Amino acid sequence: MYSGKRSEINKIWPSDPTIEGAGVHLKRAFGFHEIPLLDPFLLLDDFRSQNPQEYKAGFPWHPHRGIETVTYILEGDVEHGDSLGNQGNISSGDVQWMTAGSGIIHQEMPKGNYKGEMLGFQLWTNLPAKAKMTPPRYQEIKRNSIPLISRQDGVKIKIIAGSVDEVQGPAKGIMINPEFLDVEIPAGKSFIHNVNPKHTVLAYVIDGAAYFDAKHNPFSHDAIGKNYFDMIPPCECKNGTLVLYARGGDHIEVTTDKYSVRFLLISGQPLNEPIAWYGPIVMNTKEELEVAFAEYKNGTFIHYQ
């Protein structure tokens, strides 16, 4: 089943602390400075905190155009509303896949759970030029609609998008043909998974540690340390580590040793198109960016009601 070419790691790096929105403390796994390395993915933020002071200011009203935002909540609630009159909560275990398309103005306000915990992630995916001005839409995916596969070896896989063992995830009709999995591997076990050799494939560790390189060789790929005097290249990838695979392989292999691991496995078809990006708007040219911000300023940003 896995006699083809195994995917090798291209590069790994740690997420960086930053502050976004009205003062939300988070870790950024990748963003503007990594494009187009992760095409079609633009940004991945990790907003996990047990201190409400670090997230309650939230992300007040702001526009998006030309992208999709994928919000995955593990613990807590995020209240959202938009310029089309939509309102609701993204609760523990839920996913919101929002296609901003031609433009939407919305807000996202984290509330945390009864313990004050707020655990979640937001991924930005790019839209192809032909779809950047499509009508906005939502896919509100509740936790009980996300399939969970439990294998005999203890590996657990939540399928948000894509398919595993012929089980299909609920996110549908997305142009980059994505896969979005939440994978847990017990200590001392392995996980082998087919991937599309032409797709961008990445993993983001959210708990524990694992080897994403079957050779266990920290010098077989590029790695970014925490500082310039770091003398221990990372081999076992721990919480907050981003793993980017090189294209060309048809499967990945992840193994654990003393610790279990949990990670997000994300893949999608590269667009190979120019990117013009400023703030929450991502287009293909500077002229399109100029139009978007002019429309936002003069009140004509929303094209569909």
Side-chain angles (χ1 to χ4, degrees):
M1 182 177 180
Y2 299 104
S3 59
K5 181 181 178 182
R6 182 177 58 230
S7 296
E8 304 295 341
I9 294 176
N10 179 357
K11 189 174 185 178
I12 66 171
W13 61 86
S15 55
D16 286 328
T18 189
I19 298 176
E20 271 293 0
V24 178
H25 295 245
L26 52 81
K27 290 183 178 180
R28 178 151 295 159
F30 61 86
F32 180 83
H33 297 292
E34 285 75 35
I35 61 167
L37 184 63
L38 292 104
D39 179 19
F41 305 112
L42 299 165
L43 174 147
L44 177 60
D45 280 348
D46 174 348
F47 53 98
R48 292 181 286 172
S49 175
Q50 297 179 338
N51 179 4
Q53 297 301 318
E54 293 184 349
Y55 61 77
K56 69 177 185 179
F59 305 91
W61 295 100
H62 60 279
H64 284 295
R65 176 178 287 179
I67 65 171
E68 297 182 299
T69 65
V70 185
T71 307
Y72 179 32
I73 303 301
L74 299 185
E75 290 289 344
D77 292 283
V78 175
E79 292 181 358
H80 70 89
D82 67 28
S83 51
L84 303 178
N86 298 307
Q87 291 183 332
N89 282 318
I90 314 170
S91 299
S92 301
D94 294 348
V95 175
Q96 182 195 76
W97 203 298
M98 184 188 80
T99 303
S102 64
I104 199 165
I105 301 172
H106 76 156
Q107 66 172 353
E108 301 156 299
M109 306 302 290
K111 300 301 179 183
N113 62 13
Y114 72 97
K115 295 180 181 179
E117 300 171 320
M118 186 69 245
L119 311 179
F121 309 90
Q122 187 168 91
L123 173 73
W124 289 13
T125 73
N126 204 1
L127 284 170
K130 64 182 181 182
K132 284 191 177 291
M133 297 302 289
T134 56
R137 71 181 181 114
Y138 289 96
Q139 295 187 61
E140 303 282 1
I141 302 170
K142 297 300 182 182
R143 62 182 302 171
N144 58 7
S145 69
I146 299 174
L148 171 63
I149 291 177
S150 298
R151 293 178 172 170
Q152 290 184 348
D153 59 1
V155 173
K156 296 181 180 179
I157 310 162
K158 291 183 180 178
I159 311 168
I160 296 165
S163 64
V164 178
D165 298 344
E166 299 183 352
V167 178
Q168 185 73 38
K172 303 288 176 60
I174 303 164
M175 291 190 176
I176 61 169
N177 190 25
E179 185 171 68
F180 193 126
L181 309 178
D182 179 345
V183 182
E184 296 182 61
I185 309 173
K189 301 295 181 179
S190 295
F191 170 72
I192 301 176
H193 180 69
N194 287 329
V195 296
N196 189 318
K198 296 181 180 180
H199 282 196
T200 298
V201 181
L202 62 93
Y204 182 66
V205 183
I206 62 176
D207 191 35
Y211 295 95
F212 290 78
D213 170 22
K215 299 176 182 177
H216 295 195
N217 179 5
F219 295 101
S220 67
H221 52 265
D222 290 337
I224 297 176
K226 292 185 177 181
N227 56 62
Y228 287 116
F229 291 91
D230 189 347
M231 297 298 294
I232 306 176
C235 185
E236 190 178 33
C237 297
K238 300 180 180 180
N239 187 8
T241 301
L242 193 287
V243 179
L244 175 64
Y245 286 96
R247 294 179 194 140
D250 62 10
H251 67 277
I252 66 165
E253 182 175 350
V254 182
T255 60
T256 56
D257 189 7
K258 297 179 181 179
Y259 307 101
S260 62
V261 72
R262 185 176 182 182
F263 60 95
L264 305 179
L265 181 61
I266 301 168
S267 67
Q269 179 180 349
L271 300 179
N272 298 312
E273 294 180 349
I275 295 174
W277 180 358
Y278 190 83
I281 297 174
V282 184
M283 303 302 289
N284 295 104
T285 68
K286 292 181 179 179
E287 290 75 17
E288 290 170 335
L289 271 185
E290 185 176 359
V291 168
F293 280 97
E295 290 182 347
Y296 183 66
K297 184 177 180 180
N298 65 30
T300 60
F301 186 78
I302 302 302
H303 288 215
Y304 297 91
Q305 293 288 349

